[in-house]
Amino acid sequence: VMAGIATILAAKLFATVFLTRLFQVCRAQLVQIHWFARLLAWITATKDRLYARVRAMPAWAAAVALVASARTALRQMLS
């Protein structure tokens, strides 16, 4: 079961890396297609708006502070 799960996770990771690279290589040609350029602009704008909302949440600020304090504590323990 564990080998099967590891295989599925490795395949998903490989597919994500491969498709990301393929998109980077083909992006200039894809953006020349009008509907694709509009869709990509809409997706990017929506993603940016959602990230801005999440970063404005008090829970996000608390999580950032917690991670910073954990990093500081870890650095102090290692030094």
Side-chain angles (χ1 to χ4, degrees), residues 17-68:
V17 169
F18 177 75
L19 289 176
T20 300
R21 179 67 182 140
L22 184 62
F23 179 72
Q24 288 174 350
V25 169
C26 298
R27 184 176 181 158
Q29 291 83 12
L30 287 170
V31 174
Q32 292 177 359
I33 303 169
H34 182 67
W35 66 265
F36 186 84
R38 285 182 38 199
L39 179 65
L40 184 61
W42 180 81
I43 289 172
T44 303
T46 302
K47 180 190 72 158
D48 291 343
R49 277 195 317 272
L50 289 173
Y51 278 147
R53 277 184 152 179
V54 168
R55 287 184 181 121
M57 291 180 176
W60 180 265
V64 168
L66 181 65
V67 169

